[in-house]
Structure formats: structure tokens, C-alpha cells
Amino acid sequence: MAQAAPGSGIPIGRIFGIPIYLHASWFIIFLLITLSLRTQFTSQHPGWTPAQHWMLGILTSVLFFASVIFHELSHSLVALHYRIPVKSITLFVFGGLARIGRDASNARQEFSIAIAGPISSLFLAGCFWLGAHFFHGNEMVSAASGWLWQINGLLAVFNLLPGFPLDGGRILRGIAWGVTGDFTRATQIASSAGKLLAYLMIFVGIWQALNGNWVGGLWTAFIGWFLLSAAQESFAQVAIRSTLTGVRAEDIMTRDIPTVTRDMSLEEYVHEVLRTGRRCHIVTGAGRPVGMITMHGARLVPRDEWANTSLQAAMLPIDRIQAASPEEPVLAVLERLQNEDINQMPVISEGQIVGMIARDTILRMLQTRLQIGHLAEP
Ligand SMILES: [Zn+2]
């Protein structure tokens, strides 16, 4: 499932165990903001040297993005407080993005995670405002903090606009969830508000551009377009959730389980894969399942050792296999497959492997159900 915003980039470190990334597109916005700050400082303080204009431009720009990370970190820390994992924080062309491991469990959590961001930006705005007003002695400090308090204030206000995926949209979703008690309905409301907001921004942006403000107008329209695709994506995620709700592992697993014996060599196994096109097998010994072997596992062994390596040595032993139970909801299975980055897992009932469940089977079934609707259901 494509994400509207990037998931990774250049790692720059970890804070509270959360990896922070710079996406390639971030360098564009960093350059633009630095250049515009340098221009602003040059016209407001012609007495400074060019080196001072540049240096303060870069430093202020860095502090701005540190503020964005601070904003994303506050969302993340509230999520961690509720034991919701946070995978990463990424800076990209439209700002920051905290990748939260799963949806909140209830309306209160959703609301608290969302509101933490704008509150942290308002807090920073307050700190920089104090800096701007109490460091009159140093022109450079007050010039930088003068810009930083305004931009953080703007960031808080913009993020409070009530359209998903902005924080305001999440706050709206939290409130709607609390009122209706229905997560799906709440997401639809917040996404619709988000789409409306996005169309409004695209319209205003184009109008500005046609009236001479090319750069500002196009930028507004671009952010609107980004918000639109993110709002549409959140709609899609809700569709996935409601489509897979009630489906259990045994409803979707394949019951025919390809097996191979443990004394087979890896060389022979690869031929078996080439012959049948199946990439994952249960390894048996004395008629009982003892492990699992995949093409991915085979590739971990150097090519010239394939002939002399048995499946017994290369397989994942049965006690280390991630398995599903027949009653486990498919949504949970899919989440585990994605988190562990594996493609399939066996379904085990009372010590017996009764089926296999694969990521692409789930996605194919999802696609079919979304295409034909719920025709097949009673
Ligand atoms: Zn936020």
C-alpha cells in the first residue's frame, strides 16, 4: 500500500529510541527556507556582513527543522505512553511525519496524540517570543527568534485546521469517535473535512497564482494536493479495515501445504522451487513437521554450499516459526506479517499445520472484495 509520504531516507540519529530520517525531498525545502531567510536578514539588517546573513540563515533554518522534530516527538511520546509503537520520524518537503505503529485504541488516545503536536509548537512559539523580546542586546538572537516564534505559531495554527491528515483532523476524528463510538464513521468525517480543506487550498493556491503570486500560490496548491492524496489514502485504509473485519485466518488460508523432507539438499530444493513456482515449504522429518524453508532462507546460504547443505541445517526450526491460529483475525495476521517483514506464516492448530497464509493472498482477497463489493455475503 503506497504511502502518501515517504517512510525513510538518510538516518541522522535516534531520540528516545525513535530513528530520525531526512528524506531526499527535505533538502529542497531546507535550501528554499535558508535562501529566503538570508534574503530577509540581508534586507532587514544591511549592516551585517554577508557571512553573518548566511550563517544566521542556516542556523535559523536548522532550528526551524529542530522545532518540527520537537513537534513530531511530542506526538510520538504520547503514543509511546499508550504503548503504541513509533517506527520513525521523517523530515520531508512538506514538514515532518511520525510513523505511528498502529491506530489508537480509543477516542481519548487519538485526541491526546493529535493535540500534543500543536501544543508543543505553541510552547516553542512562546519560548522564541520570550527570546525575541528579552534578548534586545543581541540583534542576531532577536532576529532569529523573531522569525522562529512566528513560524512555530503558524505551524500550530495550520496544524489545527480540522481536516485529516492534519492534527486538527485527527482531533476532529477523536471527538467524532468519542461522540459516535464508531471509528470508521469518525475517519470518514475527518477525511471528508480533509478533502474539503485540500480542495479549498488548491483553489486558493491557483487563484493566488493567477493573480501574480506564482510561488506562494503554487506552493499552497501543492500542499493542498498532498493533503488530498493523504485524505484519500486514509479513506482507503478504513475501507481495508472494514473489509477485513470479521475475516479469520482459516477463512482465507490455503489448505494445501507443500512439504519437502529435511534430508533434501538446498540445491535440490531450489530445483523444486523452480519446478513448482512455490517459494515456501514445510520441512518434514519422520512424517512430522520440523521447520519451514523459503527461497529467502535459501539465499542466506552461499551459492557454492547449496549442494552440501541439508534443509535440516538451513530451515527455520518449528519452535521459531511465527504462526497464526485458525481463529486469529486476518487484520492481526496482516499486521504481524508487515511488522516482522515476512511474506507468509503457517496456521497451526493443536500442534498440526493446517494451512498457510500469505501476504499476497490477503491482498488479492482484499482487492477482489473491494472490486465486487459484498455481493457474495448473505
Ligand atoms: Zn502534528
Side-chain angles (χ1 to χ4, degrees):
M1 278 154 274
Q3 294 281 344
S8 59
I10 304 161
I12 52 167
R14 280 171 180 272
I15 307 178
F16 297 110
I18 303 165
I20 316 278
Y21 293 99
L22 293 181
H23 186 255
S25 64
W26 171 80
F27 291 94
I28 302 169
I29 191 69
F30 179 73
L31 191 74
L32 285 178
I33 288 187
T34 306
L35 285 175
S36 97
L37 280 167
R38 186 204 70 110
T39 311
Q40 183 183 328
F41 292 144
T42 306
S43 68
Q44 287 172 349
H45 302 276
W48 299 350
T49 66
Q52 280 175 315
H53 294 135
W54 271 112
M55 223 183 59
L56 197 66
I58 294 170
L59 187 72
T60 310
S61 194
V62 167
L63 281 173
F64 167 62
F65 285 103
S67 307
V68 175
I69 292 180
F70 184 80
H71 173 113
E72 298 303 329
L73 263 182
S74 17
H75 288 303
S76 307
L77 289 183
V78 178
L80 288 176
H81 168 76
Y82 292 124
R83 300 183 187 284
I84 299 174
V86 179
K87 291 179 179 164
S88 62
I89 290 176
T90 306
L91 287 181
F92 71 117
V93 68
F94 295 124
L97 182 86
R99 199 166 287 277
I100 311 270
R102 60 174 168 82
D103 281 322
S105 309
N106 58 50
R108 176 182 291 272
Q109 290 184 3
E110 175 78 10
F111 182 86
S112 314
I113 295 170
I115 205 154
I119 289 178
S120 70
S121 291
L122 280 179
F123 169 76
L124 286 179
C127 293
F128 286 120
W129 185 87
L130 289 176
H133 287 78
F134 290 95
F135 275 91
H136 279 307
N138 190 325
E139 266 194 336
M140 291 180 86
V141 173
S142 62
S145 20
W147 185 81
L148 284 164
W149 88 256
Q150 290 177 35
I151 195 79
N152 273 296
L154 203 68
L155 207 65
V157 171
F158 176 70
N159 268 299
L160 280 170
L161 292 176
F164 202 83
L166 294 176
D167 296 338
R170 291 178 189 274
I171 292 169
L172 177 65
R173 177 162 81 170
I175 295 171
W177 191 359
V179 171
T180 64
D182 183 344
F183 175 79
T184 304
R185 185 88 199 90
T187 306
Q188 280 167 346
I189 292 170
S191 301
S192 301
K195 279 196 251 187
L196 197 70
L197 187 73
Y199 281 123
L200 199 70
M201 284 184 71
I202 295 173
F203 178 78
V204 170
I206 292 174
W207 186 78
Q208 279 181 321
L210 292 179
N211 280 281
N213 183 2
W214 273 102
V215 179
L218 284 181
W219 190 243
T220 308
F222 257 125
I223 296 178
W225 167 78
F226 167 73
L227 291 180
L228 185 64
S229 59
Q232 278 163 343
E233 194 197 328
S234 71
F235 248 152
Q237 276 169 357
V238 169
I240 290 170
R241 246 175 105 130
S242 59
T243 305
L244 289 184
T245 297
V247 182
R248 297 171 309 160
E250 65 180 344
D251 301 328
I252 192 179
M253 68 188 188
T254 41
R255 280 162 211 278
D256 100 278
I257 308 149
T259 59
V260 285
T261 55
R262 63 176 162 195
D263 46 18
M264 191 184 241
S265 75
L266 264 185
E267 184 84 47
E268 290 169 310
Y269 174 67
V270 173
H271 283 293
E272 177 73 9
V273 170
L274 289 174
R275 193 175 65 79
T276 60
R278 309 197 59 158
R279 302 159 67 90
C280 174
H281 291 75
I282 296 299
V283 183
T284 58
R288 289 193 14 257
V290 291
M292 191 170 89
I293 181 79
T294 60
M295 258 322 278
H296 179 74
R299 283 208 206 92
L300 298 178
V301 177
R303 174 74 185 82
D304 53 358
E305 289 170 26
W306 281 2
N308 299 319
T309 306
S310 70
L311 293 189
Q312 174 75 42
M315 72 183 187
L316 189 64
I318 191 136
D319 52 324
R320 283 181 44 214
I321 298 176
Q322 293 265 359
S325 71
E327 301 79 31
E328 188 169 348
V330 165
L331 260 178
V333 176
L334 184 62
E335 207 165 86
R336 284 207 286 145
L337 288 169
Q338 279 170 341
N339 284 343
E340 304 285 328
D341 198 24
I342 46 182
N343 284 316
Q344 63 273 305
M345 55 171 73
V347 182
I348 296 184
S349 173
E350 291 164 1
Q352 292 290 318
I353 296 178
V354 292
M356 293 290 289
I357 193 159
R359 244 204 264 205
D360 52 355
T361 325
I362 302 177
L363 297 179
R364 218 167 28 239
M365 175 261 202
L366 188 66
Q367 205 177 14
T368 314
R369 287 205 174 195
L370 287 173
Q371 277 166 359
I372 64 169
H374 295 274
L375 290 176
E377 282 180 14

